[in-house]
Amino acid sequence: MNGNLVQQISFTWDPLLPDLLWVPSALVAMAILALSLRASVGLPAWKRGLLVGLRALAFALLAVILAGPSTLRTEGREVRDPYVVLIDGSRSMAVEDQEGTRSGAVARWLARHEGSFRTLAEEYDLRFFVAGDELAPLALDQAIPRDALSGSIPTNGQGTDLGAALFGLSDALGGTRPASVLLVSDGADRAALGRAFSDSGAEGVEQLSAGLKFPVSTWMVGDEDGPRDLAITNLTVPPFGFVRRPLSLQLEVTSRGLPQRTHVATLRSNGEVVATTELHFDEDGRSAVDFEVKPDEMGFHTYDVSIPTPEGDAIPANNQAEVTVKVIRDRTRILQVTSRPSWDVKFLRRLLKTDPNIDLVSFFILRNSERGGQLARMGNLSLIAFPYEELFTQDLEGFDLVIFQNFWFGSFTHYPDTEFVRNIRDYVSRGGAFLMIGGDNSFGEANYGSSPLAEVMPTQIPDAASITQPFRAVLSEAGQRHPVTRLVREGDRNLGRWEDLPLLHGWNPLGAPQEGGVVLATAGAGGPPIAAVRTAGKGRTMAFATDTTWRWAMAGTEGPGAGQDHALFWRNAIRWLIKDAEEKQVQLVLDRENYQLGDPMQVMVRVLREDYSPWANAQVVGRVALLGGGDATPIEGVTDADGQLTVLLPSTAQGTVVVEVDVPDVPAPFGHAEARASISDRQGEFLDARVRPGLLKALSEATGGKVLGGRDPDPRLAATGGGNSVLAVDRKVESLWNRWWLLVVLVLPLGAEWATRRRMGLP
Amino acid sequence: MTRQSQFSRRGVLQALAAATGTGTLGWSGDLLALGDRKVGVARLDLPDLPDPRPGALTDLLREVSHNSSISAEVRPALVDPGSEALFEHPFVVLSGDRGFEPLGDQALANLRLYVREGGLLFVDDATGLERSAFDDSVRRELSRLLPGTPLRRIGRDHAIYRSFFLMRGVAGRMVVQPYLEGLWLGDITPVLYSRNDLLGAVWRSSSGGYALEVVPGGERQRLQARRMAINLVLFAVTGNYKRDVVHVKTLLKRMRRQGGYGE
């Protein structure tokens, strides 16, 4: 604390009467004056005036004495009022639109006015603050922020919140209210002040700044016409997408001050180009386009949009954006077609119909075109048209799985079905799933081995007749591990379960596995393959070369699991074919998939036992790291009684983050879970870095500050008041009512009134 | 598969069958029979209940093979409901013209499991009487089969009335009861009961003609009964397919509206 000891004397009031008595006393005085007027009726006017006037004067003097005139003697130290230079430290100040960056312009201004600041420092307690993510003082050297002069004003604030900075000044000054504030900013405020100005103009700013009890002068830096910028202002996706359903990504781009009128936006997924589109801008420099994608698999999909940086673009950083979408499965859509209904068809359809998550479209050929008995020829048939042209062309993509169950195109049409078969092959290559089940209209019996479909099937399909003998399905080595053939989790028990299955009857011969094809089961140990799977292109296929698994449904035995193997096997097969995720024992859930930089990420881990009951006190370890490297943040803890562990993590860097957790108590690979999210700054500074002079002007006018114009204003113009205040150390009040001369003054009009009455002969 | 490839293994065999006249049952279904892969029917073998219409099931299955795409095993099996063999046959028939003793515990347990696992039991009263000992026995056993699940009249919207032919009502050798009855498990009917001697209407004598007169409607009624019998087998194989298929258009429209199509 500096300043000399000083004494100040000021006048004040120290009332002798309680507040409640003032009004009654005034009424009494007025009543007395009224009676005096009445008693003096008949006297000449000047006499009446003199008498009543003297009495009124006496009452007035009495009132003054009762009000307690006093002196206030204050002793204290003289201090200089704070003069604050508040510099915007947000990232928009790094925009180059004014012979370099905006913060560079501030540094040059500080240097040019070093003398002015020295002068101000003599009159005021001169302080410099930078408003970044927090309000930070600039270190001073002989009243001047030397580092700032060298151009090192920090511009790392993720956002501009001028209101928060201004309201935080008093605290930053140790509780002292600044006398003057000079705000140096581009006005690109996206927080409360900016929103108030956008919504309600100057009136909104005035309302919001009403609590500021000091004048805020402003000087705007930045070019009113700039910056020249091409910016992705928005990239939005639905909260989640569905596998193989269209997913729309809406892109909004603005272009300011750039001569180039068209640009190309590229959408990538996992580094691969998914789509490109040309952007055309309207008169306001806005462009909006939709990208449509169809995610192939469940899980987290990150999409990245980028636009090449045009020449003159001041902010290249906002030409790229990414979002992450969680893709889940809608109701599974299955097309089941058969040329010849059979028990196997019936039992598979019955199974699919009982699953509430399946939309099943079945078409059965009930009457072959070549045949028809007497009754059928007589009509009255309750048949429906088989819309095969639509199903195998335009509708095909809508199904998650197509099942040919003993199905042959030739059984109902002479239409050149090559096109349809080729469509199914292409559908699989694009991510669809296809299952062929055996029968006398299937596999080699229908010449599928020489059709385009053979290209995606798991095995070769020989042109061979069906075998009709009974057999036992025996798991291959791969089949003992594969999820399709896993009726129970434990390998030994699973093998035993398969050995106990009822015999099957008859099969279609399959050839050697094709590239990527995996044989899961054979007809007897070491026999020909009867079940095989393959990932073909982006899709999956399965060949199951018999049509008597209905026997597994009619096991004829009571007890847990009896008759369930048919359902277990086909559900496994369908889930694998459509790439459905197994119900996991370790589940990892983020509160959302897209975070604004700085937002906390809520990570919830749920651990279930084998019977899917909550696993309390399970140890969880994991990490969060940016995709492609960077420091990892560890996750560690134990689950609560509900089998859950929730942690909050900071989002400190832009990009795709990968969250991984492991639960050692759960055997691999079931003890691992992974999730992804995108962290971006699209709502931050670079979304719209235009200067906002109107906002700064409104702030100055609302607080009684000044608007400093030009490129080089003198900071002394923002100084208000004398610059000094007394910081009180002692205060003393001395009453004046008990002074003798005051009593004399009071007695004089009363005495004069008495003497006048006597001379006039009045009582 | 181009048009040329229509001359497939299947097509060649069809042509061969037609050219040689092999089998009077149709072009291929039986020629290319895959044994147990065929759709067959079994008759429940009860010791005190002889088959009142021997051969009628064969006649019915021939009708099915003639008129539909189904490959039927025309030789019906005879199965003891108390044996595991019951579960080899997803469709069984109980027909009779007299009362029978209560089923044994094992037979009843098997049948209970059988209908729950997806089997279909069709009961045909061959007596042609409004009150019959067979009917009494059937109602007694069905009340034991699924206690608390009474026989209910089958409505006209049931899939059996449209599983192949579009039917406006029931038919049989007689019309004792103008409706079918059934036991329901959820939305499926694993037990169907006809009082109208349905199999009697399709039963042929060794000479090839029909064995029994159909009353009161004569051949017109027989035609309806034959259609009904074929519908019964198609229903056994396709279940509620025909009832559900009416929803397919709605489903496809919804799918198109939701997207995912190339149109």
Side-chain angles (χ1 to χ4, degrees), chain A residues 77 125 140 149 177 279 329 384 488 524 593:
Chain A
R77 289 184 181 277
D125 177 16
L140 300 182
L149 295 185
R177 198 164 62 197
L279 303 171
R329 183 167 297 288
I384 59 163
V488 289
E593 281 73 48

Side-chain angles (χ1 to χ4, degrees), chain A residues 48 52 87 130 154 156 162 169 184 240 264 289 315 317 355 439 471 507 521 648 659 683 744-746:
Chain A
R48 294 184 73 195
V52 174
I87 301 170
V130 172
N156 53 5
L162 298 178
L169 272 180
V184 181
F240 48 82
V264 175
V289 293
I315 314 173
D355 191 329
F471 67 96
W507 71 88
L648 282 177
V659 185
Q683 296 171 6
V744 171
V745 170
L746 175 64

Side-chain angles (χ1 to χ4, degrees), chain A residues 16 65 68-69 734-743:
Chain A
L16 301 177
I65 290 171
E734 294 180 1
S735 300
L736 299 175
W737 65 270
N738 53 2
R739 298 291 194 275
W740 62 269
W741 50 270
L742 257 181
L743 289 174

Side-chain angles (χ1 to χ4, degrees), chain A residues 244-246 294 330-331 333 339-343 346-347 349-350 353 359-368 370-384 390-391 394-399 408-410 413-418 421 438-441 444-448 451-452 463-468 505-508 545-548 550-551 553-558 562-563, chain B residues 1-3 5-11 13-14 25-30 32-41 63-71 84 86-91 109-110 112-120 161-168 188 204 210 223-224 226-227 230 233-242 244-245 248 251-252 254-256 258-263:
Chain A
R244 296 178 51 73
R245 306 283 178 269
K294 286 182 189 173
D330 192 6
R331 288 167 64 89
R333 297 169 179 173
S339 295
R340 191 192 298 283
S342 64
W343 298 132
K346 169 184 174 159
F347 279 83
R349 181 173 186 278
R350 183 171 178 263
K353 285 294 292 180
D359 275 341
L360 178 65
V361 174
S362 296
F363 279 103
F364 300 166
I365 308 300
L366 297 181
R367 183 184 177 220
N368 289 337
E370 292 88 350
R371 69 195 312 202
Q374 174 206 11
L375 284 181
R377 286 197 300 272
M378 290 171 70
N380 226 25
L381 295 168
S382 171
L383 303 182
I384 59 163
E390 293 89 342
L391 284 176
Q394 65 182 36
D395 290 346
L396 197 55
E397 291 290 327
F399 291 102
W408 177 48
F409 282 98
T413 178
H414 289 294
Y415 196 93
D417 44 40
T418 306
V421 178
D440 59 354
N441 278 278
E445 297 274 20
N447 291 106
Y448 281 119
S451 78
D463 183 17
S466 299
I467 311 296
T468 57
H505 290 246
W507 71 88
N508 299 83
T546 182
D547 60 351
T548 50
W550 64 268
R551 292 171 177 278
M554 295 197 75
T557 52
E558 294 274 18
Chain B
M1 283 181 285
T2 63
R3 179 174 285 278
S5 72
Q6 296 291 321
F7 295 102
S8 62
R9 175 185 179 79
R10 161 107 359 246
L13 288 171
Q14 282 179 24
L25 304 178
W27 56 267
S28 65
D30 300 280
L32 297 176
L34 295 177
D36 285 333
R37 289 166 139 180
K38 286 185 168 186
V39 170
V41 182
E63 293 263 40
V64 170
S65 277
H66 274 296
N67 290 282
S68 77
S69 65
I70 286 179
S71 175
E84 287 187 7
L86 174 68
F87 298 94
E88 299 278 321
H89 306 278
F91 180 28
N110 276 0
R112 191 174 296 129
L113 186 59
Y114 175 85
V115 295
R116 286 187 172 143
E117 287 187 338
L120 174 69
Y161 290 105
R162 67 187 73 171
S163 57
F164 193 72
F165 293 103
L166 190 60
M167 304 290 294
R168 292 195 173 85
I188 60 174
R204 290 176 185 268
Y210 287 106
L223 180 65
Q224 291 302 314
R226 290 167 64 199
R227 287 173 172 166
I230 291 173
V233 178
L234 267 291
F235 171 72
V237 179
T238 63
N240 288 333
Y241 164 68
K242 272 298 175 60
D244 296 339
V245 85
V248 165
L251 183 60
L252 286 173
R254 192 181 79 207
M255 290 165 65
R256 286 172 186 143
Q258 289 176 349
Y261 295 85
E263 63 183 3

Side-chain angles (χ1 to χ4, degrees), chain A residues 443 448-449 453-462 508-521 529-534 541-545:
Chain A
F443 293 104
Y448 281 119
L453 204 45
E455 298 171 29
V456 294
M457 291 302 288
T459 67
Q460 294 174 351
I461 301 173
N508 299 83
L510 297 180
Q514 303 212 80
E515 185 180 350
V518 177
V519 173
L520 301 180
I530 56 140
V533 293
R534 181 184 175 193
T541 58
M542 178 172 175
F544 195 75

Side-chain angles (χ1 to χ4, degrees), chain A residues 125 132 168 172 223 287 520 579 590:
Chain A
D125 177 16
D223 188 350
S287 178
L520 301 180
K579 292 172 268 187
L590 305 182

Side-chain angles (χ1 to χ4, degrees), chain A residues 311-370:
Chain A
E311 189 178 346
D313 188 349
I315 314 173
N318 59 17
N319 294 4
Q320 183 271 341
E322 74 167 40
V323 286
T324 295
V325 190
K326 185 175 185 179
V327 175
I328 59 176
R329 183 167 297 288
D330 192 6
R331 288 167 64 89
T332 304
R333 297 169 179 173
I334 297 179
L335 173 64
Q336 178 198 26
V337 289
T338 183
S339 295
R340 191 192 298 283
S342 64
W343 298 132
D344 216 38
V345 171
K346 169 184 174 159
F347 279 83
L348 182 58
R349 181 173 186 278
R350 183 171 178 263
L351 170 69
L352 300 177
K353 285 294 292 180
T354 56
D355 191 329
N357 294 316
I358 289 177
D359 275 341
L360 178 65
V361 174
S362 296
F363 279 103
F364 300 166
I365 308 300
L366 297 181
R367 183 184 177 220
N368 289 337
S369 55
E370 292 88 350

